[in-house]
């Protein structure tokens, strides 16, 4: 049996498929980004999942697609941990852009991730091609959850939010300066911590166009820097994967009109598209 896993910094979805392409198990662990988390954290997060423990002996292959899996060192660390857990299985680790592309389309297009982090690639129908190497949540990640979380915290402290929204924001989150600085500069997983604030945008009432402007500016920066960098941008569909993209669909389409871009699929969770890909192309189930 094959396990396909879609891992981000916040969460990781695991699907066990039998030889007929039927889903025998769906489970979830905490985030497994090997570029962010220490090996011991990755190991403990996998081992604490009781569902995975029960099916170890059934698994012959693990295909893991994850954030932070674009460079050799974190990939090697994760491969060793997975091999130690699934001792009799073939282990394959690839970056999350591959999963996003396979879930979004079978045709050439540009595929973008907007979740806890952000990224983009050109997919030629078979392979992904990266135009710009990602430098992570500090230097890049436009329009991601952590990008919007940082914007919200800054706007709160600079008093750009307005009184009513600031009061609502402070009721929902601990905005003590020492707490924020400790979580950002001293604790593990600052990108996930910052991204947790982004939920405020999508679960609060709009006031004076604040949220629209915030999202529009982030999406515009992402398209300028991570979509228009591809020479094919205005000739192929642009697909988006991730929760931020899913909840920002209308604004993505608004921004895209300015750049004469054709928006294709917008998918919240790539794991569902991956299941269909494996049925058709790996297990070859009709």
């Amino acid at each position: 049996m094959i396990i396909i896993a879609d891992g981000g910094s916040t969460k990781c979805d695991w699907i066990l498929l039998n030889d007929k392409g039927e889903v025998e198990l769906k489970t979830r662990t905490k985030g497994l980004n090997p570029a962010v988390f220490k090996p011991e954290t990755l190991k403990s997060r996998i081992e604490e999942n009781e569902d995975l423990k029960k099916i170890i002996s059934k698994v012959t292959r693990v295909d893991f697609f994850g954030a932070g899996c674009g460079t050799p060192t974190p990939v090697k660390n994760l491969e060793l941990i997975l091999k130690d857990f699934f001792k009799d299985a073939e282990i394959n680790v690839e970056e999350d852009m591959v999963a996003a592309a396979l879930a979004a389309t079978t045709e050439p297009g540009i595929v973008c991730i907007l979740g806890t982090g952000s990224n983009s690639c050109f997919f030629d129908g078979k392979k992904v091609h990266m135009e710009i190497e990602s430098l992570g949540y500090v230097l890049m990640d436009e329009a991601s959850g952590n990008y919007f979380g940082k914007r919200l915290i800054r706007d709160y402290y600079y008093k750009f939010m307005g009184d009513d929204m600031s009061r609502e924001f402070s009721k929902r989150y601990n905005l003590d300066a020492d707490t924020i600085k400790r979580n950002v500069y001293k604790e593990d997983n600052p990108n996930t911590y910052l991204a947790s604030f982004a939920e405020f945008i999508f679960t609060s009432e709009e006031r004076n166009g604040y949220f629209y402007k915030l999202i529009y500016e982030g999406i515009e920066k992402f398209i300028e820097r991570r979509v228009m960098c591809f020479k094919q941008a205005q000739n192929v569909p642009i697909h988006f994967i991730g929760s931020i993209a899913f909840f920002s669909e209308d604004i993505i389409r608004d921004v895209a009109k300015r750049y004469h871009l054709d928006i294709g699929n917008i998918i919240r969770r790539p794991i569902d598209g991956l299941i269909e890909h494996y049925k058709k192309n790996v297990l070859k189930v009709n």
Side-chain angles (χ1 to χ4, degrees):
M1 294 188 185
I2 296 178
I3 278 186
I4 51 176
D6 173 41
S9 296
T10 304
K11 62 185 182 300
C12 179
D13 290 315
W14 303 75
I15 304 289
L16 178 67
L17 296 178
N18 63 26
D19 294 341
K20 297 179 181 179
E22 298 166 338
V23 176
E24 295 217 350
L25 172 71
K26 284 187 177 183
T27 191
R28 177 175 287 178
T29 61
K30 294 177 182 177
L32 295 170
N33 184 332
V36 173
F37 302 122
K38 297 175 182 177
E40 53 266 32
T41 300
L42 300 172
K43 188 173 187 291
S44 65
R45 289 185 172 187
I46 294 171
E47 291 178 343
E48 69 188 16
N49 185 286
E50 295 299 324
D51 292 330
L52 293 177
K53 287 180 182 178
K54 292 175 183 177
I55 52 93
I56 287 176
S57 61
K58 297 181 180 180
V59 180
T60 57
R61 173 173 163 180
V62 177
D63 287 358
F64 187 100
F65 303 92
C69 296
T71 51
T73 299
V75 167
K76 186 64 175 177
N77 289 338
L78 185 56
E79 283 177 341
L80 291 172
I81 291 166
L82 290 171
K83 187 62 180 176
D84 186 58
F85 189 79
F86 298 101
K87 297 185 186 304
D88 299 319
E90 172 191 345
I91 306 296
N92 304 294
V93 176
E94 295 195 75
E95 58 187 318
D96 54 354
M97 285 307 320
V98 176
L102 296 176
T105 182
T106 58
E107 302 294 331
I110 292 169
V111 181
C112 309
I113 293 176
L114 295 182
T116 301
S118 67
N119 210 340
S120 64
C121 74
F122 174 69
F123 181 59
D124 65 13
K126 294 182 179 179
K127 295 182 179 180
V128 301
H129 305 273
M130 310 297 291
E131 183 68 22
I132 298 171
E133 186 171 347
S134 176
L135 296 178
Y137 77 98
V138 175
L139 297 174
M140 292 186 175
D141 270 8
E142 293 85 359
S144 67
N146 106 75
Y147 168 90
F148 288 123
K150 283 186 281 192
R151 281 291 308 270
L152 287 169
I153 294 169
R154 284 201 298 262
D155 283 3
Y156 173 81
Y157 269 88
Y158 285 133
K159 304 186 187 304
F160 287 168
M161 273 188 176
D163 292 341
D164 289 347
M165 190 170 288
S166 291
R167 280 193 291 271
E168 184 179 342
F169 192 50
S170 63
K171 284 180 182 178
R172 197 179 303 186
Y173 300 95
N174 183 347
L175 297 172
D176 171 71
D178 286 337
T179 300
I180 291 172
K181 287 187 284 187
R182 185 183 73 251
N183 277 282
V184 172
Y185 298 111
K186 294 185 179 297
E187 299 293 339
D188 293 336
N189 322 331
N191 60 328
T192 306
Y193 168 75
L194 290 167
S196 69
F197 291 89
E199 182 185 12
F200 183 72
I201 299 172
F202 304 102
T203 57
S204 303
E205 183 181 347
E206 176 69 281
R207 293 186 180 89
N208 301 317
Y210 172 79
F211 291 136
Y212 183 91
K213 183 173 183 290
L214 189 70
I215 298 171
Y216 192 100
E217 289 176 354
I219 298 295
E220 188 173 45
K221 285 182 179 179
F222 180 85
I223 286 179
E224 286 177 350
R225 298 169 186 180
R226 302 310 301 263
V227 174
M228 299 308 295
C229 61
F230 295 100
K231 62 183 180 182
Q232 305 94 337
Q234 292 174 323
N235 299 313
V236 297
I238 318 296
H239 307 285
F240 285 84
I241 302 284
S243 55
I244 297 295
F246 181 81
F247 290 114
S248 305
E249 179 172 351
D250 291 344
I251 299 177
I252 288 172
R253 295 188 184 280
D254 286 347
V255 177
K257 289 176 184 176
R258 288 191 54 216
Y259 294 87
H260 307 289
L261 300 174
D262 175 22
I263 299 300
N265 298 316
I266 297 181
I267 301 170
R268 185 176 184 181
R269 297 183 182 93
I271 197 72
D272 296 326
L274 273 178
I275 292 172
E276 292 306 309
H277 169 78
Y278 270 74
K279 284 181 180 179
K280 294 176 183 177
N281 302 294
V282 178
L283 299 169
K284 301 189 184 302
V285 178
N286 294 327

